[in-house]
């Protein structure tokens, strides 16, 4: 077990965004979270990563409790994430977007930075080289000097994942990584997620609506509705689960061939 949440509950005014959520994720696992819009999936990530404190419940990483710690401390302990809406430094270059993520690990102090000492320049060169090496893993090495905003959409998603991985996480949380992607970008993304899991020995938890991706790569699924876990199991089991079908999987969406129509709320 690497990540565990117990009884996680979070209200926003009268809305129960999370209502007693329990689950455990094993080390190295690739698990998916699905559920209708507004079922609390993003809130779950926000609580795990310290953006919001839960009203009740516990989040544990490798047996240590991390509930309510500040986001940078949770990141240091090994949880990185991406956002449902891409958050890049759009006006910075691709390589600088990755270098910024490296900085928690940089060794030089503020004085060295001010004085522009040799140590400062050595560190700067080292982080640049590391960032470039990183980009080559993502086949973005030729785009290093491009501004992030000028990358095609699929590459921006990849860059966001690259930046999350540059913090050397143990657990990677992806919030709708395939949102807005065309079918061929989704295929590339699926292979990519499998590849980085191997290469970085990651545990991956992803929220996703595209059933082709979820059913294609997730080993286990957690289904949420109204802030609660309504089902969990193997993708094949979830597909046949009556409660899930009623809550969510009602009809196939013809627009992307692999998606599902969200239940009208
Ligand atoms: P999902 O990601 O599954 O679509 P969310 O976690 O974004 O769902 O939202 C769950 C519920 O919590 C929704 O009703 C949403 O409006 C509400 N909610 C989420 N974040 C906030 C917030 N910061 N303030 C008020 N309500 C919120
Ligand atoms: Mg969401």
């Amino acid at each position: 077990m690497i990540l565990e949440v117990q009884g996680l509950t979070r209200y926003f005014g009268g809305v129960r965004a999370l209502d007693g959520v329990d689950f455990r994720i094993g080390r190295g696992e690739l698990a998916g979270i699905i559920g209708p819009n507004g079922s609390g999936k993003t809130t779950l990530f926000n609580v795990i990563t310290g953006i919001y404190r839960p009203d009740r419940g516990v989040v544990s990483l490798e047996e240590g409790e991390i509930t309510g710690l500040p986001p940078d401390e949770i990141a240091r302990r090994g949880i990185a994430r991406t956002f449902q809406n891409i958050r890049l430094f759009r006006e910075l270059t691709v390589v600088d977007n990755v270098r910024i993520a490296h900085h928690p690990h940089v060794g030089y102090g503020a004085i060295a930075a001010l004085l522009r000492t040799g140590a400062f320049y050595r560190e700067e060169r080292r982080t640049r080289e590391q960032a470039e090496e990183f980009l080559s893993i993502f086949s973005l090495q030729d785009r290093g000097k491009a501004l992030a905003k000028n990358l095609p959409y699929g590459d921006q998603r990849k860059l966001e994942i690259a930046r999350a991985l540059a913090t050397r996480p143990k657990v990677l949380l992806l919030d709708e990584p395939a949102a807005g992607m065309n079918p061929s970008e989704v295929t590339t993304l699926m292979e990519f997620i499998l590849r980085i899991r191997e290469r970085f020995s990651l545990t991956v938890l992803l929220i996703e609506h595209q059933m082709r991706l979820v059913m294609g790569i997730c080993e286990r699924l957690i289904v949420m509705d109204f802030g609660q876990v309504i089902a969990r199991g193997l993708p094949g089991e979830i597909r046949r689960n009556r409660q899930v079908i009623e809550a969510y999987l009602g009809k196939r969406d013809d627009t992307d061939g692999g998606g599902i129509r969200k239940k009208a709320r």
Side-chain angles (χ1 to χ4, degrees), residues 41-42 84 175-176:
K41 306 180 300 295
T42 296
Q84 193 168 338
D175 195 347
E176 301 201 24

Side-chain angles (χ1 to χ4, degrees), residues 34 190 209-223 231-252 257-260:
I34 64 173
M190 287 166 69
H209 281 300
Q210 300 225 21
M211 282 299 111
R212 185 162 68 91
L213 188 149
V214 168
M215 296 293 173
I217 66 173
C218 292
E219 296 154 343
R220 212 157 56 85
L221 294 180
I222 296 163
V223 189
R232 62 188 99 220
L234 303 175
E237 296 167 356
I238 295 299
R239 221 194 267 275
R240 292 189 298 272
N241 180 304
R242 177 173 300 278
Q243 208 183 349
V244 175
I245 293 167
E246 282 169 6
Y248 189 33
L249 296 176
K251 287 208 164 151
R252 294 192 74 81
I260 44 183

Side-chain angles (χ1 to χ4, degrees), residues 10 12-13 15-18 35-44 46 52 84 175-176 207 209:
R10 169 73 205 213
F12 291 107
V15 175
R16 261 181 286 173
L18 294 178
N37 276 332
S39 58
K41 306 180 300 295
T42 296
T43 303
L44 175 66
N46 286 338
Y52 297 135
Q84 193 168 338
D175 195 347
E176 301 201 24
I207 295 170
H209 281 300

Side-chain angles (χ1 to χ4, degrees), residues 89-97 100 146-149 159:
F89 297 101
R90 293 173 50 78
E91 303 293 333
L92 292 185
T93 62
V94 168
V95 75
D96 281 344
N97 267 277
I100 282 172
L147 295 184
K149 66 177 180 186
L159 176 58

Side-chain angles (χ1 to χ4, degrees), residues 3-12 16-21 23 40-60 65-71 74-75 79 81 83 173 175 205 207 224 227:
L3 179 69
E4 178 170 20
V5 307
Q6 291 165 286
L8 217 54
T9 299
R10 169 73 205 213
Y11 299 92
F12 291 107
R16 261 181 286 173
L18 294 178
D19 187 8
V21 171
F23 62 76
K41 306 180 300 295
T42 296
T43 303
L44 175 66
F45 277 12
N46 286 338
V47 170
I48 292 173
T49 56
I51 293 175
Y52 297 135
R53 281 167 173 274
D55 292 305
R56 279 197 300 279
V58 175
V59 183
S60 309
E65 187 176 340
I66 59 168
T67 323
L69 293 178
I74 290 174
I79 301 181
R81 73 173 297 178
F83 292 87
L173 308 180
D175 195 347
L205 183 56
I207 295 170
M224 292 183 64

